[in-house]
Amino acid sequence: MNDTSAVMAAPAEVPSAAATVAAEQSWNVAWHRSLGFRVLVAALLVTAWIVAGVMLVMNREAKTFLEQEAYRLVEQMGNTVVTGLGARLDEIAALNRSLAATSSILPKDEQAFMTSLPGLINYGGDKGVAGGGYWPEPHRFSADRERRSFFWGRDQSDALQYFDDYNQSGPGYHNEEWYVPARFVPDNQCYWSQSYSDPYSFQPMVTCTVPLREGGALNAVTTIDLRLEGLASFAREWAQRTGGYIFLVDRYNRFITFADPAKVKRIGADAKGARTEEFILASEFAKSEPAFSEIAQTLAAMNEDILKGARSVKGADIDSMAREIDEGSYQIDADQAKLTAAVLADPFKERFSASTTSLYRIAPVATDPVLKKPSTLLLFHVPGPYWKLGVVKPVDETVALANSITRQLIIYLLATILFAVVVAYLLFNRMLLAPLGRISGAVRRMGLLLSERRHHELDQNRIDYPTRNEVGLLTYHINSLAHEIVTSEGKLAEANATLERRVQERTEELSRTLTQLKNSQAQLVQSEKMASLGQMVAGIAHEINTPLGYVKNNILLGKELLQRFFDLADKVDGIGERERAAGRTPDDALVAASVACVDEIKSDGVAEDALQLVEDSLYGVEQITELVLNLRNFSRLDEAKVKDVSIHECIDAALNIARSQLKSKVEIIRDYGEVPQIACSPSQINQVFINLFNNAAQAIEGSGKILIKTTASQGFVHVAVQDNGRGIPQDVISRIFEPFFTTKPVGQGTGLGLSITYQIVQQHNGHIRVASEPGKGTRFVISLPTQVRNAPAGPQ
């Protein structure tokens, strides 16, 4: 009889119907309240989660998008400024090319130049054109004059006047900063000088220089001086409109305009006492205003990028060009000459010609010196003169709009979600919570019956729910499940008994298999040990057999020499007997015979041979003694416990044991360093080295070398064993320490040698590394600590 029949035969006492109904109603009310509260809490949590998600998305995505849009607008504004500057610069360059073309066709007549050039330079009364002129090479305009320039500039009233200063005594114009680089400028192209200040208005200015050549040689240059007026007022206007500011620097990072021009100007007086003003370099301003250092570093990094790019321009010899510019102009130092040469190579031409923007880099500024708050620098490239336009925008203005939109969106979403939660909760309570409460009570009652093992009563407590919806479908499946429980209980008990029986059988079978596996593993490990022992015994037998052979031969030769001595003695004794038999005294005859024997011994070298045989035999016995001592040192059966030993002694002992495999084809190179003793089990460490030496010998085809090097560092002694054998393939090297893995044919290796080596090193708290390249050899590095915490037990 199974468990089910036993339960059915002795059912528990059934509670009364009234008690069951009252308990179910009480449970339904409590469940309904509890579930409603949990649903409401879940809805509020979902609301909070949605609001938090919206805030997170707005902070991460929307703010990022709005910031990018803000930066895009700033980028558009910067590109507009660069385009406007470029248009103005192109206009002046075109004017200068016209001046150059006119100058090239005029006769070398002073009156012709004085008459023709002023009208072009005046450019219709454009006050932005501060002046211009024609500047010939020495003796090119007039053979008897080194300098004969024609220059017109505007005076304090902006009237165009002729100036002859550069033709007078003084430094002249051939070594000016705007003149010397023109030698390297292609025809009809403009070289833009560094920025400088107008002597009257102190506005920033720049000079455009166009070369004129005859027969490939520089003949003269023409110049147009451009005032950069209006940039300061534009910078102030933009700062008031956006809250940020712009600044412009030339290629040397000398300021052309700034939000506060007074901070970036150096005021002084010339030799005549007249007031002078000049803009300073960004690096100079950073020294007096450390907050500007980040921007100054970004400007310097752009110059480094220009220099690096110029060196990769095909056909541009930057260094030689820089040397000529540096030597030719007293106004340009070596660093400026390099940058000028780099600008002449125009390394950014391809980079920005294929781009729709002149933006070079966006860089954060921790605290801007003008805005006094965290800001962002947008740095633009101005082609042609290689100026840099900087737009500085405060960070808080960029994210202000995003914060406003985020707050409004969160308020709207919060109100909408709360309204939806209330409505959904009311509908959910009416359509789902109440029916589920009744179903829950019924299921609880079924659960009590199951816990009391009253399965036969489940069919009598079916749930009645006539509505045809998801809840009705749920009740149908619950009733079906209860019926299946009743019908399946008996089958389950029988299946349980069968399962227990099978589990017991399989457990016994698994135990037997495990025992067999352990026995097989022990046999394999023992086979590996016996294989290693066989190799050692073979080597030892060979090493002992050689000295034993010649000791045996020496003994046989000694026996023959002794027999020779005996024969000579018998000969002398025979002579004495014959003399006494003849009645004569044998003394003289014996003396003569003895002398003859001694002479014969000396002539035959019997004594020397006998002495040499004894010495050779002693040498052979010493070799056998040394080999036995090496074998004892290698095995160290009396030193199985951990003790302090020299790693060099272990290596030498292993080499002596393995020399039968090594000496015929392998050259051993020892490179021993000064290393401390290590605490280890000597016999196990000896086994590690003999395994490595045997593997190295087997990997060497023909003759080869094995390098053994020892070093010490950070509490470890390192032993490197490197051979020049055939190496290990990359698909094999990751598995060489796996037990039973071998590349040798079946029956020639167990695959346990390196696995046991790895275990021994690990048990000594050390580590082993391997590197190999097919065809070039293999390198094993073993690192053992000078002190070990636990005595290694050794592989079983």
Side-chain angles (χ1 to χ4, degrees):
M1 183 180 295
N2 57 27
D3 295 342
T4 304
S5 61
V7 170
M8 295 180 64
E13 182 179 354
V14 180
S16 64
T20 302
V21 172
E24 181 179 349
Q25 291 178 349
S26 176
W27 163 258
N28 287 343
V29 172
W31 182 90
H32 180 77
R33 291 177 179 175
S34 175
L35 182 59
F37 176 75
R38 290 195 294 269
V39 170
L40 182 60
V41 171
L44 293 176
L45 290 176
V46 170
T47 302
W49 175 262
I50 293 175
V51 172
V54 170
M55 293 180 66
L56 180 62
V57 171
M58 288 298 295
N59 285 328
R60 283 191 176 181
E61 304 297 334
K63 284 186 178 181
T64 301
F65 173 75
L66 291 174
E67 289 177 7
Q68 291 175 350
E69 285 298 305
Y71 290 143
R72 187 177 63 82
L73 294 175
V74 176
E75 181 180 352
Q76 290 178 353
M77 187 279 300
N79 287 328
T80 301
V81 176
V82 171
T83 302
L85 282 173
R88 181 59 168 165
L89 296 174
D90 290 342
E91 180 184 12
I92 298 303
L95 172 62
N96 200 1
R97 284 193 290 270
S98 299
L99 181 63
T102 302
S103 300
S104 63
I105 62 177
L106 288 175
K108 295 297 188 292
D109 180 72
E110 293 185 1
Q111 186 60 36
F113 275 80
M114 295 293 291
T115 303
S116 303
L117 299 187
L120 287 173
I121 296 172
N122 192 38
Y123 197 47
D126 187 345
K127 301 300 188 296
V129 177
Y134 173 80
W135 314 83
E137 280 280 89
H139 308 291
R140 289 297 181 91
F141 188 86
S142 177
D144 60 344
R145 297 187 64 177
E146 179 182 7
R147 293 178 291 182
R148 182 59 185 101
S149 63
F150 298 88
F151 172 69
W152 287 265
R154 297 192 186 276
D155 57 16
Q156 296 184 9
S157 60
D158 285 336
L160 199 64
Q161 300 289 339
Y162 173 73
F163 290 90
D164 197 39
D165 297 0
Y166 284 99
N167 295 323
Q168 305 303 320
S169 61
Y173 57 83
H174 294 116
N175 302 110
E176 295 290 319
E177 183 270 342
W178 49 265
Y179 188 95
V180 174
R183 298 190 177 100
F184 306 96
V185 177
D187 294 340
N188 294 322
Q189 290 192 19
C190 173
Y191 166 73
W192 294 97
S193 71
Q194 64 177 322
S195 63
Y196 55 95
S197 296
D198 184 281
Y200 301 114
S201 65
F202 304 116
Q203 290 289 329
M205 295 177 58
V206 67
T207 298
C208 170
T209 304
V210 173
L212 287 80
R213 292 183 172 86
E214 289 184 5
L218 184 67
N219 183 54
V221 301
T222 58
T223 62
I224 294 293
D225 298 334
L226 174 64
R227 288 175 177 168
L228 301 175
E229 57 186 356
L231 288 179
S233 60
F234 174 76
R236 288 192 296 270
E237 177 186 351
W238 193 88
Q240 294 172 357
R241 181 161 50 91
T242 64
Y245 69 93
I246 65 173
F247 66 89
L248 186 67
V249 296
D250 66 6
R251 62 173 170 271
Y252 300 140
N253 294 334
R254 185 180 302 280
F255 284 101
I256 298 175
T257 184
F258 191 65
D260 189 353
K263 290 186 176 180
V264 295
K265 277 189 175 183
R266 183 184 294 110
I267 300 174
D270 59 13
K272 298 180 181 180
R275 177 185 175 90
T276 61
E277 292 185 10
E278 62 176 351
F279 285 96
I280 64 175
L281 299 173
S283 58
E284 295 180 77
F285 181 52
K287 292 179 180 178
S288 61
E289 189 66 59
F292 194 76
S293 297
E294 292 179 286
I295 299 179
Q297 290 171 3
T298 304
L299 297 175
M302 186 172 178
N303 280 355
E304 291 295 330
D305 198 4
I306 293 172
L307 287 168
K308 182 178 179 182
R311 294 188 183 279
S312 62
V313 174
K314 186 176 180 181
D317 189 355
I318 304 302
D319 294 327
S320 62
M321 190 187 305
R323 282 194 299 271
E324 292 187 37
I325 294 173
D326 182 25
E327 294 171 357
S329 176
Y330 65 94
Q331 295 176 322
I332 304 177
D333 60 26
D335 292 336
Q336 291 176 335
K338 287 183 181 179
L339 188 59
T340 300
V343 169
L344 291 173
D346 199 4
F348 282 0
K349 180 178 180 180
E350 294 184 3
R351 175 175 177 178
F352 286 98
S353 62
S355 176
T356 59
T357 180
S358 296
L359 180 64
Y360 171 76
R361 180 174 296 173
I362 298 177
V365 180
T367 303
D368 183 75
V370 176
L371 303 176
K372 307 299 183 183
K373 61 179 67 175
S375 304
T376 302
L377 168 67
L378 287 84
L379 190 60
F380 295 84
H381 166 65
V382 181
Y386 270 68
W387 294 343
K388 306 174 188 69
L389 175 69
V391 179
V392 182
K393 180 78 172 176
V395 174
D396 54 1
E397 289 190 8
T398 305
V399 300
L401 178 60
N403 290 333
S404 176
I405 295 175
T406 302
R407 286 193 298 270
Q408 295 179 20
L409 183 59
I410 288 174
I411 293 173
Y412 173 77
L413 286 176
L414 186 61
T416 303
I417 293 173
L418 287 176
F419 176 77
V421 166
V422 172
V423 174
Y425 175 75
L426 295 176
L427 295 176
F428 184 77
N429 183 61
R430 180 176 180 180
M431 299 178 63
L432 191 61
L433 288 183
L436 285 179
R438 292 193 295 272
I439 294 174
S440 177
V443 171
R444 179 176 178 275
R445 185 170 64 253
M446 291 181 178
L448 291 174
L449 294 175
L450 288 173
S451 65
E452 296 174 357
R453 306 191 66 81
R454 293 157 60 185
H455 309 92
H456 57 285
E457 299 183 20
L458 291 177
D459 284 338
Q460 303 172 10
N461 291 272
R462 298 174 62 86
I463 304 172
D464 186 15
Y465 193 83
T467 305
R468 291 188 175 184
N469 55 15
E470 286 77 6
V471 177
L473 185 62
L474 176 63
T475 59
Y476 171 77
H477 287 298
I478 292 175
N479 291 333
S480 299
L481 180 61
H483 180 71
E484 289 294 331
I485 291 175
V486 172
T487 57
S488 300
E489 179 66 21
K491 296 179 181 180
L492 182 60
E494 182 178 358
N496 186 44
T498 302
L499 180 61
E500 289 180 354
R501 184 176 63 256
R502 290 183 178 179
V503 168
Q504 183 177 3
E505 292 174 356
R506 291 297 174 89
T507 301
E508 293 175 355
E509 182 180 353
L510 181 61
S511 178
R512 290 193 298 269
T513 302
L514 183 60
T515 301
Q516 294 175 357
L517 180 61
K518 289 182 177 179
N519 293 336
S520 300
Q521 182 180 7
Q523 292 175 2
L524 286 174
V525 172
Q526 185 63 26
S527 298
E528 174 64 20
K529 291 184 177 180
M530 293 304 295
S532 299
L533 181 61
Q535 293 180 355
M536 291 171 54
V537 170
I540 293 168
H542 177 78
E543 293 295 326
I544 293 178
N545 188 55
T546 299
L548 276 180
Y550 62 75
V551 168
K552 178 180 178 181
N553 292 334
N554 289 347
I555 292 174
L556 292 175
L557 291 175
K559 179 180 178 182
E560 293 178 2
L561 294 176
L562 288 175
Q563 185 62 46
R564 176 67 171 158
F565 274 109
F566 293 151
D567 291 342
L568 293 174
D570 291 340
K571 182 178 180 180
V572 173
D573 189 43
I575 293 173
E577 291 293 335
R578 287 194 300 271
E579 290 294 321
R580 282 189 292 271
R584 293 189 297 269
T585 302
D587 293 342
D588 295 335
L590 287 176
V591 170
S594 299
V595 171
C597 288
V598 170
D599 292 337
E600 186 176 353
I601 289 173
K602 288 182 179 180
S603 63
D604 290 345
V606 174
E608 290 82 355
D609 290 345
L611 181 59
Q612 185 63 42
L613 289 175
V614 172
E615 291 179 353
D616 289 346
S617 299
L618 289 176
Y619 175 73
V621 171
E622 289 176 356
Q623 282 191 311
I624 296 173
T625 302
E626 180 183 358
L627 183 61
V628 172
L629 179 60
N630 287 333
L631 180 61
R632 185 185 68 82
N633 290 336
F634 176 79
S635 62
R636 305 258 181 129
L637 297 177
D638 57 338
E639 298 177 2
K641 295 183 180 180
V642 173
K643 65 175 295 182
D644 292 340
V645 297
S646 169
I647 196 70
H648 296 158
E649 293 181 359
C650 296
I651 296 173
D652 293 339
L655 285 173
N656 288 329
I657 296 303
R659 64 184 177 185
S660 62
Q661 296 192 37
L662 302 177
K663 67 180 181 180
S664 61
K665 64 177 181 178
V666 177
E667 177 186 357
I668 303 298
I669 302 174
R670 294 177 173 90
D671 185 3
Y672 291 169
E674 295 184 2
V675 298
Q677 291 188 331
I678 63 171
C680 68
S681 174
S683 61
Q684 293 182 13
I685 297 302
N686 289 345
Q687 184 178 356
V688 167
F689 290 132
I690 197 67
N691 287 345
L692 293 182
F693 296 153
N694 287 337
N695 283 351
Q698 294 169 5
I700 295 174
E701 298 175 352
S703 60
K705 297 179 180 180
I706 297 178
L707 171 63
I708 306 169
K709 184 176 182 178
T710 60
T711 57
S713 64
Q714 299 178 350
F716 280 83
V717 171
H718 311 284
V719 182
V721 180
Q722 182 171 354
D723 64 68
N724 59 350
R726 57 178 175 268
I728 305 174
Q730 292 300 316
D731 57 342
V732 173
I733 197 169
S734 61
R735 301 187 59 194
I736 60 174
F737 295 120
E738 294 180 7
F740 312 112
F741 176 77
T742 180
T743 58
K744 297 178 181 178
V746 177
Q748 296 186 18
T750 63
L752 292 174
L754 287 178
S755 174
I756 292 175
T757 298
Y758 181 83
Q759 293 179 25
I760 293 174
V761 174
Q762 290 290 316
Q763 288 162 358
H764 280 77
N765 294 329
H767 46 83
I768 181 171
R769 300 183 302 276
V770 60
S772 183
E773 184 175 351
K776 294 186 178 181
T778 303
R779 175 185 175 90
F780 284 89
V781 179
I782 297 175
S783 300
L784 297 171
T786 56
Q787 296 293 332
V788 293
R789 291 174 293 178
N790 300 310
Q796 301 299 318

